[in-house]
């Protein structure tokens, strides 16, 4: 409660909410992988906050965080069912992190496209426990309160998520090295240079194209260096000659926005390890591209 402030005024309630808003969005986005769904969670939290007896709330930020997190978990559980019928590979909706590199968090964890994609394989509660602990640095006691579980179970949930990520990802590289390899890849992809592509891709590389059934994207992931390399070479003459590229930032890392005829057609993000490029992630669904492009500064 704020000293000197009347606890039940809408003005003070608005100030409390706006102060917590970046964190609420940051949690919901990481849990859901969708800016639209995260905004829905934030809006619903605001509505509930307005209708709460705020005279009984001693810590507004803690209350708001708990409400938003539980709403995000509920939405993630229903989203999981919807994504089972999603046409083609599902990728997280990208966010521009130039203004807020950590997206409302203590640390920029669980924000990269590849991490969000891998966390999607966990159940929503495991994912949320990891987000609260690793990105927002909540103590296990607080995590257990939000998730309505024991502290021991909260520790197990976070540990399980860490093991999952460790098993799926190799040692990372610096952002500068990430960009350099993406530059080499982009040049080779645009010219159809098979030997260079084979040199920068890892043996078990996976290419995901998220078109949402709207664009002519591959409806299944392309797996393995030989298949991915040949796939890139095959579509290079059709895709790149009319394309304009713009270097951008997405989810804290360098990415490439591809446009044709003045319209954005793809956002390319890559997951890079010390062994090379492990994942190619092509966001081509206009419903995901549109909000991202609109958020970019000219």
């Amino acid at each position: 409660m704020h000293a000197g402030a009347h606890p039940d005024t809408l003005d003070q309630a608005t100030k409390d909410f706006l102060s917590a808003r970046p964190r609420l969005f940051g949690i919901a986005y990481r849990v859901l992988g969708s800016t639209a769904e995260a905004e829905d969670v934030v809006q619903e939290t605001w509505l509930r906050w307005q209708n709460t007896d705020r005279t009984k709330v001693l810590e507004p930020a803690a209350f708001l965080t708990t409400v938003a997190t539980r709403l995000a978990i509920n939405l993630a559980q229903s989203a999981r069912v919807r994504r089972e019928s999603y046409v083609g590979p599902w990728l997280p909706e990208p966010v521009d992190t130039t203004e807020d590199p950590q997206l409302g968090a203590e640390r920029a964890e669980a924000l990269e496209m590849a991490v969000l994609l891998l966390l999607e394989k966990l159940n929503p509660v495991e994912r949320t426990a990891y987000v609260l602990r690793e990105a927002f640095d909540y103590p296990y006691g607080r995590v257990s309160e939000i998730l309505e579980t024991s502290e021991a179970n909260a520790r197990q949930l976070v540990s399980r998520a860490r093991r999952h990520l460790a098993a799926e990802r190799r040692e990372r590289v610096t952002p500068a090295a990430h960009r350099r390899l993406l530059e080499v890849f982009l040049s080779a992809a645009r010219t159809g240079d098979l030997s260079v592509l084979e040199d920068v891709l890892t043996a078990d590389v996976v290419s995901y194209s998220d078109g949402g059934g709207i664009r002519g994207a591959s409806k299944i992931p392309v797996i393995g260096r030989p298949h991915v390399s040949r796939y890139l070479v095959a579509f290079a003459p059709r895709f790149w000659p009319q394309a304009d590229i713009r270097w951008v930032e997405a989810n804290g890392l360098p990415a490439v926005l591809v446009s044709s005829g003045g319209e954005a057609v793809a956002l390319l993000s890559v997951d890079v390890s010390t062994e090379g490029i492990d994942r190619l992630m092509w966001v081509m669904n206009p419903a995901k591209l549109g909000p991202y492009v609109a958020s970019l500064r000219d």
Side-chain angles (χ1 to χ4, degrees):
M1 191 175 295
H2 297 260
H6 199 278
D8 60 354
T9 64
L10 188 57
D11 182 57
Q12 186 59 52
T14 303
K15 289 179 181 177
D16 289 332
F17 176 78
L18 291 177
S19 176
R21 193 187 191 288
R23 173 163 292 210
L24 307 182
F25 179 84
I27 292 172
Y29 171 71
R30 286 169 170 83
V31 173
L32 295 161
S34 164
T35 59
E37 290 176 352
E39 288 290 0
D40 288 344
V41 165
V42 172
Q43 182 62 23
E44 179 62 25
T45 302
W46 166 240
L47 293 175
R48 294 196 182 194
W49 180 231
Q50 287 178 285
N51 296 321
T52 294
D53 182 357
R54 295 181 297 274
T55 61
K56 297 180 180 179
V57 178
L58 297 179
E59 298 181 42
F63 176 88
L64 290 164
T65 297
T66 300
V67 170
T69 303
R70 291 177 182 173
L71 286 171
I73 291 172
N74 291 339
L75 189 54
Q77 289 167 338
S78 61
R80 196 168 199 175
V81 175
R82 293 197 305 276
R83 285 170 192 168
E84 288 176 356
S85 60
Y86 192 82
V87 179
W90 177 91
L91 289 174
E93 187 177 339
V95 287
D96 176 18
T97 43
T98 54
E99 293 299 310
D100 182 0
Q102 297 174 311
L103 208 66
E106 301 293 331
R107 299 190 291 261
E109 295 294 325
L111 189 54
E112 294 177 21
M113 292 281 285
V115 175
L116 292 173
L117 178 61
L118 292 173
L119 288 178
E120 183 73 11
K121 296 179 182 179
L122 300 174
N123 70 52
V125 176
E126 290 171 335
R127 191 155 71 239
T128 303
Y130 180 85
V131 165
L132 293 174
R133 177 62 183 167
E134 297 300 318
F136 294 87
D137 202 26
Y138 282 119
Y140 285 107
R142 180 74 181 108
V143 174
S144 67
E145 290 173 3
I146 294 173
L147 299 181
E148 297 181 292
T149 188
S150 67
E151 186 169 332
N153 192 46
R155 289 179 181 274
Q156 289 180 345
L157 292 169
V158 175
S159 177
R160 199 174 302 147
R162 285 174 178 159
R163 288 197 304 271
H164 172 69
L165 288 176
E168 295 282 345
R169 299 189 90 203
R170 302 180 178 97
E171 184 181 350
R172 298 297 94 196
V173 298
T174 66
H178 182 109
R179 167 143 183 166
R180 283 195 300 272
L181 199 59
L182 180 51
E183 288 173 342
V184 173
F185 167 81
L186 186 63
S187 176
R190 296 178 77 182
T191 58
D193 191 328
L194 183 63
S195 64
V196 174
L197 288 171
E198 290 178 335
D199 189 49
V200 298
L201 301 175
T202 60
D204 54 356
V205 63
V206 183
S207 178
Y208 302 91
S209 300
D210 180 343
I214 298 174
R215 295 193 186 277
S218 174
K219 290 184 172 61
I220 59 171
V222 183
I223 302 172
R225 183 190 290 141
H227 293 103
V228 173
S229 299
R230 288 197 294 268
Y231 174 75
L232 292 167
V233 169
F235 82 66
R238 300 192 302 273
F239 186 73
W240 294 109
Q242 283 76 45
D244 297 311
I245 66 167
R246 173 184 174 184
W247 283 93
V248 292
E249 181 179 295
N251 296 65
L253 289 171
V256 175
L257 183 65
V258 184
S259 300
S260 180
E263 179 187 358
V265 295
L267 178 74
L268 169 62
S269 297
V270 296
D271 192 25
V272 180
S273 71
T274 52
E275 295 184 23
I277 295 176
D278 297 313
R279 293 173 185 83
L280 300 167
M281 293 161 286
W282 307 83
V283 176
M284 305 176 77
N285 186 340
K288 295 182 179 182
L289 265 183
Y292 174 79
V293 173
S295 72
L296 295 175
R297 285 173 169 256
D298 294 328

